[in-house]
Amino acid sequence: MATVFITGAGIRIGSAVARAMGRAGYDLALHAHHSVKSLEALAEELRGLGRQVSRYSADLSDPREVEELGARVRADHPTLDVLVHNAGLYERVDFEAITREQYRTMLAVNLDAPFFLTQALLPSLRAAAQPLVVHLTDIGGERPERRTAHYSVSKAALLMLTRALAVELAPHVRVNAVSPGTVAFPESFDAAAREAILQRIPLGREGSVEDIARVVVFLAREAPYITGQALAVDGGRSAQL
Ligand SMILES: NC(=O)c1ccc[n+]([C@@H]2O[C@H](COP(=O)([O-])OP(=O)(O)OC[C@H]3O[C@@H](n4cnc5c(N)ncnc54)[C@H](OP(=O)(O)O)[C@@H]3O)[C@@H](O)[C@H]2O)c1
């Protein structure tokens, strides 16, 4: 049975990816930081489908916890077919107000954690027949929004990591990115902010978490000749000025 490890699987996109991969027949290793209660409920749901599910908790801004997480997952799963780096930090701050600590934490979660987790889990990936790494990037990693300098830089670097590892780990390990546009508005967005964004999406709606999840499943099951690519799942937003 193939196994997928997903970071940030307790809520929103991460939990949708876990459900979709579970339904597609994968056993699951699932990580959360704060959302451990919802991860527990999700694990029960997926066990109900007959899947094996192991759970992990770690703060991905802490390099020691990242190292321990990598070691635990590797010990529990000597073979790992798919690794989905979904956990990510997002905040909007004026450039001049971004502290060194905010900058460091952003890079630690969005870039360093995927970098070093993949490194730690490489032996398990290499033991799989057709291993795949997926990064959750962002169309904003190529065309930044205002007040997201540290976030945009982290996602741009993650996109380059996608390409760098696709080249370096070929031909055995494929590495791709899924770049959401606006998916499931955060509660903090008011009606005016939502409308302003919807105006810029040709398909006229925000994306759903399932829109993202089904592309991860596609990359895992249907795309053996795709590596080093970022698939924008954004309703066409990045296609226009
Ligand atoms: N939603 C969108 O419109 C959108 C757009 C572009 C890109 N993306 C990317 O898609 C991914 C998922 O997005 P989302 O909207 O579902 O995310 P979200 O609702 O903001 O949730 C963030 C996820 O990251 C985890 N996380 C954050 N900081 C962490 C830390 N220090 N240690 C461990 N885990 C941490 C959280 O885990 P806990 O809850 O367990 O703490 C949670 O699962 C992210 O990488 C995001 O950048 C999303």
Side-chain angles (χ1 to χ4, degrees):
M1 185 65 77
T3 302
V4 56
F5 175 49
I6 304 165
T7 64
I11 58 172
R12 287 166 54 87
I13 292 176
S15 63
V17 171
R19 276 195 188 88
M21 292 297 276
R23 288 197 197 106
Y26 286 81
D27 286 333
L28 301 112
L30 303 177
H31 155 271
H33 180 214
H34 292 117
S35 303
V36 282
K37 278 242 158 0
S38 46
L39 190 73
E40 212 175 297
L42 177 65
E44 272 315 300
E45 180 188 324
L46 292 166
R47 286 190 189 108
L49 298 177
R51 305 291 164 258
Q52 301 278 338
V53 185
S54 49
R55 287 184 288 122
Y56 304 86
S57 170
D59 178 357
L60 299 181
S61 71
D62 181 335
R64 227 189 29 230
E65 293 200 26
V66 170
E67 199 175 314
E68 284 168 10
L69 176 65
R72 269 189 289 144
V73 175
R74 185 175 151 188
D76 293 349
H77 300 282
T79 301
L80 198 57
D81 299 86
V82 183
L83 167 53
V84 182
H85 294 290
N86 165 78
L89 195 55
Y90 175 82
E91 64 182 355
R92 302 189 65 135
V93 188
D94 290 334
F95 171 67
E96 59 267 40
I98 296 172
T99 65
R100 193 166 280 273
E101 194 188 343
Q102 283 174 312
Y103 173 86
R104 274 279 134 241
T105 304
M106 184 63 76
L107 272 286
V109 175
N110 288 5
L111 179 64
D112 302 5
F115 189 107
F116 289 105
L117 270 178
T118 297
Q119 196 181 63
L121 292 171
L122 206 45
S124 298
L125 288 164
R126 284 191 165 133
Q130 291 191 307
L132 168 71
V133 177
V134 179
H135 294 143
L136 266 290
T137 51
D138 188 321
I139 57 168
E142 293 185 271
R143 293 175 191 83
E145 289 178 314
R146 299 170 71 86
R147 306 182 65 230
T148 62
H150 56 339
Y151 172 80
S152 301
V153 164
S154 74
K155 292 297 191 180
L158 192 58
L159 176 60
M160 182 49 72
L161 185 64
T162 306
R163 294 176 180 145
L165 294 188
V167 170
E168 185 159 348
L169 304 183
H172 189 190
V173 182
R174 288 182 301 123
V175 184
N176 288 298
V178 176
S179 296
T182 297
V183 172
F185 283 119
E187 279 170 20
S188 59
F189 283 33
D190 63 20
R194 288 171 196 229
E195 191 46 40
I197 290 171
L198 290 176
Q199 291 288 337
R200 303 196 336 250
I201 302 175
L203 291 187
R205 66 167 176 89
E206 63 180 312
S208 69
V209 294
E210 290 79 18
D211 286 323
I212 305 301
R214 64 170 67 97
V215 175
V216 176
V217 174
F218 163 76
L219 286 170
R221 297 188 12 149
E222 310 285 349
Y225 201 53
I226 296 181
T227 195
Q229 303 304 311
L231 301 186
V233 185
D234 66 350
R237 186 169 168 189
S238 59
Q240 65 178 0
L241 276 178

